[in-house]
Amino acid sequence: MIIAIDGPAGSGKSTAAKRLAERLGFTYLDSGAMYRAFTWKARSAGIDFSDKEGLLKLVNETDIRIDCSANGSEVFVDGVNVTGEIRQPSITENIHHVSGLEFVRKKMVKLQRDFARGKDIVAEGRDMCTVVFPDADKKIYMDADIRERAKRRHSELETCDDESDIDNVAEDLSQRDHRDSTRQFAPLKRVPDAFYLDTTNMNAEGVVDILIKEIGREQQTD
Ligand code: DC
């Protein structure tokens, strides 16, 4: 069974997808981690993001792997564990240079489908319902008010500590939303057959309870 979840940053989809996978006994797929991993690789290889040929060569020779265990998911690039590093702002700021490239997306889509083969998964990202798993058993689109999303991101970022920083985070998020939803290949889009959930006034447990109800199943124990 495949459950596909899309939505913008801060909509609560990562937390919900992780907890949902746990409750259902499914494997969690964080597709954004793959774009983060390739961004990390391009930066550590010193490639200029405007060098499309260099990026094409690099994407073809880069090994990206996600390991899911009881301790959560770990991300490896050419065997190097980059789980922590790919969450740094220096990566987040640069992902858009690679996530809009068709040849990068092609490789990631293949990785994501290979990862899912033969498994029950909860996959989250921007193009899970539209491109990667258009035949998913359940499609979900999550969203939240920009101010609330900024507050959530703000509390995750240790360097921010006042109200004006929330404005900066909101500005960054709007910019990312705009880029993600207007790019030529696989833009973030809400498909008509997705279950829509606005999480603005909800906590993570409440979100997961609603999703479980919508999906109509809880983990089967034997
Ligand atoms: O989910 P996240 O915030 O870790 O994703 C980081 C970036 O990766 C996001 O700004 C857009 C991109 N992304 C994408 O283009 N397609 C996906 N399926 C997942 C993420």
Side-chain angles (χ1 to χ4, degrees):
M1 181 177 190
I2 293 181
I3 299 168
I5 308 180
D6 287 327
S11 57
K13 67 185 188 312
S14 301
T15 308
K18 260 181 246 167
R19 293 193 186 186
L20 185 62
E22 219 172 278
R23 287 230 336 229
L24 295 171
F26 284 18
T27 301
Y28 164 60
L29 170 59
D30 173 5
S31 65
M34 293 181 176
Y35 292 93
R36 289 177 176 278
F38 184 59
T39 306
W40 179 89
K41 173 68 188 255
R43 274 175 61 83
S44 57
I47 297 228
D48 191 306
F49 284 115
S50 62
D51 176 8
K52 303 289 180 286
E53 271 181 34
L55 288 170
L56 173 62
K57 186 167 175 289
L58 195 71
V59 82
N60 286 327
E61 60 193 30
T62 301
D63 175 55
I64 294 173
R65 202 160 40 82
I66 295 205
D67 262 10
C68 294
S69 66
N71 306 325
S73 26
E74 290 193 305
V75 186
F76 296 85
V77 175
D78 301 325
V80 179
N81 190 332
V82 296
T83 310
E85 284 177 60
I86 61 168
R87 303 287 157 195
Q88 296 295 322
S90 59
I91 299 296
T92 309
E93 283 158 16
N94 284 296
I95 301 172
H96 69 98
H97 292 297
V98 304
S99 64
L101 300 174
E102 191 178 20
F103 55 84
V104 171
R105 301 208 70 88
K106 223 169 150 181
K107 161 133 180 181
M108 301 306 161
V109 169
K110 182 174 182 327
L111 282 177
Q112 289 150 18
R113 288 183 180 152
D114 287 350
F115 178 93
R117 192 157 302 123
K119 295 190 188 89
D120 286 321
I121 69 159
V122 179
E124 57 107 345
R126 305 295 188 290
D127 60 344
M128 298 298 99
C129 302
T130 51
V131 175
V132 185
F133 303 114
D135 299 324
D137 301 275
K138 192 76 206 172
K139 295 180 187 173
I140 296 159
Y141 188 94
M142 287 173 55
D143 204 350
D145 178 79
I146 182 79
R147 195 85 199 149
E148 174 60 24
R149 294 196 284 122
K151 273 193 205 154
R152 290 173 187 171
R153 271 296 129 98
H154 181 264
S155 66
E156 286 167 14
L157 300 169
E158 288 163 9
T159 47
C160 301
D161 55 13
D162 62 26
E163 187 68 17
S164 71
D165 284 335
I166 296 187
D167 292 339
N168 293 337
V169 176
E171 183 53 42
D172 283 353
L173 284 181
S174 309
Q175 216 177 70
R176 269 175 80 189
D177 288 353
H178 181 72
R179 282 196 186 118
D180 288 346
S181 54
T182 56
R183 68 180 171 223
Q184 187 182 358
F185 304 108
L188 170 65
K189 216 167 38 184
R190 177 181 158 194
V191 290
D193 56 336
F195 172 69
Y196 178 79
L197 190 58
D198 182 333
T199 68
T200 305
N201 297 309
M202 300 177 73
N203 63 24
E205 267 325 296
V207 169
V208 178
D209 285 343
I210 289 184
L211 295 182
I212 291 271
K213 220 186 235 171
E214 175 64 24
I215 291 159
R217 64 184 268 181
E218 189 60 89
Q219 180 170 9
Q220 282 142 8
T221 44
D222 39 26

